[in-house]
Amino acid sequence: MDSQPGKRLNAREIAAKFRNDIATGVYPPGSQLPGAKGVAKGFGVGLMTVQSAYKQLAEDGLVVARQGSGTYVLDPAKGEATAQDMALGLRELQDQLTHVTSQLSDLRGRVEQLEAARAGDADENQ
């Protein structure tokens, strides 16, 4: 758990790190994630931040929390997608969303330029 000096990760970023670790097989199905207290200390964040990250992973269907035992990567029933497959899919969706967001930003800039040019042409014609 190597956090960047001076940058505190938020729950979303910690969840993304564990999604990636699950997708790449660092934590295979059935394996236990590190204890939240240790993760919090390693990243220099509050325990609630890590608990929120683990909750996000559970909501994504990647892990299950077992009271008093820990958080485990789901080992799906035969024929269902593995947690690793799901994490890869989520990572691909994140990449696609980033790409679409970038394209929308570019389009917004172009529309603003066209509107400004159109307003300038209207001013010249008056």
Side-chain angles (χ1 to χ4, degrees):
M1 286 170 268
D2 49 341
S3 61
Q4 298 172 353
K7 179 165 182 336
R8 297 184 105 188
L9 299 177
N10 61 38
R12 184 181 48 79
E13 292 167 326
I14 293 170
K17 181 232 181 291
F18 280 102
R19 268 188 214 97
N20 185 61
D21 287 350
I22 291 168
T24 58
V26 173
Y27 298 105
S31 66
Q32 183 177 6
L33 294 184
K37 288 180 184 177
V39 173
K41 185 176 181 181
F43 284 126
V45 298
L47 178 60
M48 289 183 67
T49 301
V50 176
Q51 289 171 334
S52 177
Y54 280 12
K55 182 178 178 188
Q56 290 175 35
L57 296 173
E59 288 171 354
D60 291 344
L62 297 175
V63 301
V64 62
R66 296 184 190 145
Q67 188 69 29
S69 177
T71 302
Y72 295 84
V73 177
L74 284 174
D75 192 4
K78 194 170 186 100
E80 293 182 12
T82 65
Q84 185 174 2
D85 292 337
M86 292 172 66
L88 282 170
L90 287 171
R91 189 169 61 189
E92 289 172 9
L93 283 173
Q94 284 178 316
D95 292 344
Q96 290 173 1
L97 181 60
T98 299
H99 179 70
V100 168
T101 302
S102 174
Q103 287 180 321
L104 283 173
S105 179
D106 290 346
L107 286 173
R108 184 180 309 124
R110 289 179 185 178
V111 168
E112 288 172 356
Q113 288 175 344
L114 287 171
E115 288 175 344
R118 188 173 183 188
D121 289 343
D123 290 342
E124 289 177 9
N125 291 333
Q126 289 181 0

